[in-house]
Amino acid sequence: QVQLVESGGGLVQAGGSLRLSCAASGSIFSINRMGWYRQAPGKQRELVATITSGGTTNYADSVKGRFTVSRDNAKNTVYLQMNTLKPEDTAVYYCIADIVPRAGLGYGTNWGQGTQVTVSS
């Protein structure tokens, strides 16, 4: 069993900043990709940013230059620093992690419960 626990969401004014955290716990041998998706009301879930275990990052065009994804492998934790927030960033943000539970097994993609980010204009 694996659990992803997110924190750091909230209400912020446009132009402000927030930092999201997501810690993985449970049966973990290794973690490949970690990252964040988001889903706004009435829209499909979309990729925000991901980071591999080696530190390679990938960002949605809409957040490049404003958001930074990072991870602490020792803590099995991924972060999302969000700067210069815009009202269109308002969404539920979901953490993901591709976790190998034991040596010799394949990975499974795990999702957090989601954290609300609201940006007021």
Side-chain angles (χ1 to χ4, degrees):
Q1 294 263 348
V2 171
Q3 187 176 21
L4 299 182
V5 178
E6 300 150 341
S7 60
L11 173 65
V12 64
Q13 288 189 332
S17 298
L18 282 174
R19 188 189 194 213
L20 305 183
S21 300
C22 173
S25 61
S27 179
I28 299 172
F29 173 74
S30 64
I31 305 178
N32 300 333
R33 180 188 61 153
M34 300 186 82
W36 299 89
Y37 279 66
R38 67 186 180 187
Q39 188 167 19
K43 294 187 177 181
Q44 289 189 330
R45 192 171 296 189
E46 63 176 4
L47 178 143
V48 176
T50 60
I51 183 168
T52 67
S53 57
T56 299
T57 57
N58 180 43
Y59 294 94
D61 287 343
S62 60
V63 306
K64 283 181 180 177
R66 300 188 298 122
F67 292 10
T68 302
V69 63
S70 61
R71 63 191 282 175
D72 184 332
N73 291 329
K75 296 181 179 179
N76 292 332
T77 299
V78 63
Y79 306 95
L80 186 67
Q81 178 66 43
M82 303 184 292
N83 298 328
T84 319
L85 282 159
K86 304 175 181 180
E88 50 264 43
D89 294 317
T90 295
V92 177
Y93 283 69
Y94 296 91
C95 168
I96 64 157
D98 294 336
I99 294 174
V100 178
R102 291 194 302 277
L105 297 181
Y107 71 88
T109 298
N110 298 268
W111 292 85
Q113 79 284 1
T115 185
Q116 178 70 46
V117 171
T118 302
V119 184
S120 63
S121 57

